[in-house]
């Protein structure tokens, strides 16, 4: 008996993937970090700009390894990125699209050796690459080390993030001076507590001028305890805090990374073999969809690399899936990624109305993360007309307000542009357990086109 697949799941749900995902009752992803909060989420947010934060990333990301003589060619032919100078001790934000240039997924690609690479993050991009590794005649072996909640084995590696202006000083201290200079988005090797570790230099919070303030340190799982102990001890005198599951996802909002766009895999005859390859129990089949943006066409939720701010990584120096479509889009990308800062008065009205108003008030807004499904799309309006979609509403102490990441019409992507966001999801009342009876509410928002260096004035 064959395993049910995504294509069958769509057929059994009535043939409409948008309705299938809107009807899925799953709530937001619960990060399997050992504690929800170590201090409190407000101080944990503040400290990654004032000193440093320590995040244990050992559990929530999937690591998928591609090994063999064709591994680099496989990644080049599937990914939009250039691979001309890519190899050992390099890393990049890998982005994969379908033939029409819509994003399937992204992940951090680690160059571990000349014929060994690992995609680390959400499994969506790795699933697509693995499909081509197995069906495209490549000389590549694939090994999966999935996130802990779906992995029956012990994880292969520990993965610790030290992020903030004091991060390099802390890691240098923990390394006993063995940490050398590691260039941005490169991988270095050094010692901590007698253990050989490797580390990627990158930033999680996107502070302009501070791109070299974070290291993602990884090594064999069996040696996780002494490395963690040494890092925490080194950071104890410099104000470093541990970060929990509540504060962790809010780092993406500050950096501008849209963590979970809907994977563009649900339509097209050319994508049918892939849908038949994906299991009916996987992420793509149960990516619950919520928010005020509601459409019966799943393609209305698709986004291009340019919509997500990935135009900088698209390279036409090689052939890859989606190249022809992206060459046309690149001439004049219709949308652009921005931050939308919520009006403080409107936010306060939502918080008050959702809890204390008589009758049906606004949709409850949880803090610091406001999403209530795996994928979240809100309507963005100008004078009542739709001009984009907003995702991942979050509050951070460093922003000083709720902020959504959004993809809006390019002509409106200017600092200070005022728009309206629709908060709520009346279509999910009685469908999603997380959605109570409420009325959709309009929120005034202000466009911002770059990360904020410090807390902004409250409106």
């Amino acid at each position: 008996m064959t395993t049910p697949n995504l294509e069958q799941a769509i057929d059994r749900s009535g043939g409409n993937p948008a309705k299938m995902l809107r009807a899925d009752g799953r709530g937001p992803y619960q990060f399997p970090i050992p504690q929800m909060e170590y201090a409190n989420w407000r101080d944990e947010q503040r400290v990654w700009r004032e000193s440093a934060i320590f995040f244990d990333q050992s559990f929530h990301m999937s690591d998928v390894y591609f090994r063999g003589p064709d591994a680099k060619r496989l990644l080049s032919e599937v990914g939009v990125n250039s691979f001309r100078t890519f190899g050992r001790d390099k890393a990049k934000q890998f982005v994969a699209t379908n033939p029409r240039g819509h994003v399937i997924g992204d992940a951090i690609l680690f160059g571990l050796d000349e014929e060994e690479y690992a995609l680390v993050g959400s499994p969506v991009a790795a699933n697509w690459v693995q499909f081509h590794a197995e069906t495209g005649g490549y000389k590549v072996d694939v090994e999966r080390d999935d996130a802990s909640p779906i992995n029956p084995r012990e994880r292969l590696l520990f993965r610790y993030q030290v992020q903030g202006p004091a991060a390099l000083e802390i890691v240098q201290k923990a390394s006993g001076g063995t940490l050398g200079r590691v260039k941005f988005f490169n991988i270095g090797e050094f010692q901590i507590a007698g253990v050989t570790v490797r580390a990627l230099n990158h930033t999680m919070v996107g502070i302009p001028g501070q791109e070299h303030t974070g290291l993602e340190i990884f090594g064999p799982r069996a040696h996780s305890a002494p490395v963690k102990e040494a890092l925490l001890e080194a950071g104890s005198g410099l104000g470093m805090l541990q970060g929990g599951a509540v504060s962790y996802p809010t780092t993406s909002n500050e950096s501008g990374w849209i963590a979970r766009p809907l994977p563009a895999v649900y339509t097209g005859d050319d994508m049918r073999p892939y849908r038949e390859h994906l299991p009916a129990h996987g992420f793509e089949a149960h990516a619950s969809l919520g928010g005020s943006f509601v459409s019966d066409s799943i393609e209305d939720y698709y986004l291009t690399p340019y919509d997500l701010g990935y135009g900088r990584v698209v390279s036409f120096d090689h052939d890859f899936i989606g190249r022809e479509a992206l060459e046309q889009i690149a001439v004049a990308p219709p949308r652009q990624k921005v931050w939308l800062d919520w009006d403080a008065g409107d936010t306060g009205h939502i918080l008050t109305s959702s809890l204390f108003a008589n009758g049906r008030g606004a949709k409850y807004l949880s803090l610091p993360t406001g999403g209530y499904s795996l994928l979240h799309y809100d309507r963005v309006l100008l004078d009542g007309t739709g001009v984009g979609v907003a995702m991942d509403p979050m509050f951070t102490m460093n922003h000083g307000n709720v902020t959504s990441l959004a993809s809006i019409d390019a002509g409106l992507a200017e600092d200070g542009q005022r728009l309206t966001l629709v908060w709520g999801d009346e279509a999910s009342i009685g469908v999603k357990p997380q959605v109570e009876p409420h009325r959709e509410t309009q929120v005034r928002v202000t466009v911002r086109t770059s990360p904020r260096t410090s807390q902004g004035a409250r409106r």
Side-chain angles (χ1 to χ4, degrees):
M1 182 176 179
T2 59
T3 302
N5 58 53
L6 173 61
E7 183 72 10
Q8 293 170 329
I10 294 171
D11 289 342
R12 291 171 183 173
S13 69
N16 188 314
K19 290 184 177 181
M20 178 183 78
L21 299 183
R22 292 282 313 184
D24 195 294
R26 287 166 176 77
Y29 183 68
Q30 302 297 316
F31 285 85
I33 293 175
Q35 288 188 207
M36 297 299 288
E37 296 173 278
Y38 285 88
N40 61 79
W41 61 262
R42 282 83 61 202
D43 285 341
E44 291 172 16
Q45 290 176 338
R46 287 190 188 98
V47 81
W48 66 60
R49 296 219 178 181
E50 296 173 355
S51 172
I53 191 81
F54 175 95
F55 282 121
D56 190 340
Q57 301 176 311
S58 305
F59 308 104
H60 76 274
M61 295 188 288
S62 290
D63 301 1
V64 183
Y65 298 89
F66 300 88
R67 303 183 180 99
D70 290 344
K72 185 174 178 179
R73 179 169 69 88
L74 163 68
L75 292 160
S76 177
E77 292 177 354
V78 176
V80 307
N81 315 74
S82 174
F83 284 83
R84 282 185 174 176
T85 61
F86 194 72
R88 179 183 169 86
D89 291 336
K90 302 285 187 180
K92 63 172 71 246
Q93 189 81 26
F94 177 86
V95 179
T97 65
N98 69 16
R100 284 159 293 286
H102 295 117
V103 171
I104 290 175
D106 71 285
I108 300 294
L109 178 65
F110 288 72
L112 301 175
D113 213 331
E114 291 307 319
E115 293 186 356
E116 181 181 9
Y117 304 88
L119 279 171
V120 179
S122 160
V124 176
N127 292 345
W128 176 242
V129 178
Q130 182 176 354
F131 169 72
H132 287 281
E134 295 174 351
T135 61
Y138 296 95
K139 296 179 181 177
V140 174
D141 293 322
V142 180
E143 181 182 9
R144 298 189 70 98
D145 183 23
D146 284 311
S148 294
I150 57 173
N151 193 337
R153 306 179 303 171
E154 179 79 10
R155 296 304 303 271
L156 298 177
L157 301 177
F158 65 81
R159 196 175 295 275
Y160 300 140
Q161 178 77 30
V162 182
Q163 180 72 51
L168 298 185
E169 182 180 356
I170 290 168
V171 178
Q172 182 69 266
K173 183 179 178 181
S175 75
T178 64
L179 171 65
R181 182 174 180 267
V182 183
K183 295 181 180 179
F184 188 55
F185 254 76
N186 278 244
I187 300 169
E189 184 172 294
F190 50 95
Q191 298 278 316
I192 295 180
V195 178
T196 299
V197 301
R198 300 174 79 177
L200 167 64
N201 181 345
H202 76 112
T203 182
M204 290 178 64
V205 294
I207 307 170
Q210 296 188 26
E211 287 81 9
H212 306 275
T213 58
L215 288 174
E216 184 174 315
I217 303 160
F218 56 98
R221 182 69 187 164
H223 302 301
S224 60
V227 174
K228 182 176 182 178
E229 182 179 348
L231 288 167
L232 292 177
E233 181 179 352
S236 62
L238 292 170
M240 184 175 76
L241 296 177
Q242 290 192 69
V246 177
S247 66
Y248 181 80
T250 65
T251 60
S252 65
N253 191 276
E254 291 198 17
S255 69
W257 176 50
I258 296 176
R260 287 178 298 278
L262 183 140
V265 302
Y266 301 95
T267 53
D269 290 340
D270 52 356
M271 295 293 290
R272 183 184 180 102
Y274 183 54
R275 294 193 296 274
E276 293 174 339
H277 166 84
L278 289 171
H281 60 77
F283 176 90
E284 294 85 351
H286 294 286
S288 62
L289 183 57
S292 63
F293 181 81
V294 180
S295 174
D296 285 343
S297 174
I298 197 69
E299 294 190 355
D300 287 341
Y301 297 89
Y302 289 0
L303 297 163
T304 75
Y306 300 96
D307 299 335
L308 295 169
Y310 292 142
R312 69 189 186 284
V313 309
V314 178
S315 175
F316 300 116
D317 67 355
H318 66 298
D319 289 328
F320 61 89
I321 298 170
R323 172 177 173 166
E324 184 176 346
L326 288 177
E327 284 179 320
Q328 297 179 24
I329 296 169
V331 175
R335 285 187 172 179
Q336 183 175 324
K337 184 199 75 178
V338 298
W339 289 256
L340 298 179
D341 294 326
W342 288 32
D343 178 88
D346 292 349
T347 304
H349 168 74
I350 287 171
L351 293 170
T352 302
S353 171
S354 65
L355 293 176
F356 305 117
N358 293 324
R360 183 179 292 189
K363 170 74 183 74
Y364 176 69
L365 174 64
S366 62
L367 297 179
T369 53
Y372 43 87
S373 56
L374 287 174
L375 310 178
H376 188 96
Y377 282 62
D378 284 327
R379 287 186 288 156
V380 180
L381 311 175
L382 176 63
D383 298 329
T385 300
V387 294
V389 292
M391 289 154 275
D392 300 336
M394 296 181 187
F395 176 90
T396 76
M397 299 302 296
N398 303 312
H399 280 165
N401 54 254
V402 175
T403 299
S404 292
L405 295 169
S407 180
I408 65 171
D409 292 352
L412 300 174
E414 297 181 354
D415 289 322
Q417 172 70 51
R418 300 302 297 267
L419 300 171
T420 300
L421 180 149
V422 180
W423 171 249
D425 187 355
E426 293 179 10
S428 291
I429 297 173
V431 177
K432 295 185 183 299
Q434 301 82 7
V435 179
E436 74 280 11
H438 68 277
R439 298 189 187 279
E440 293 180 359
T441 307
Q442 293 194 353
V443 182
R444 290 169 291 178
V445 294
T446 303
V447 172
R448 180 162 46 86
T449 59
S450 61
R452 179 178 289 157
T453 56
S454 61
Q455 180 170 310
R458 296 176 183 271
R459 294 179 178 85

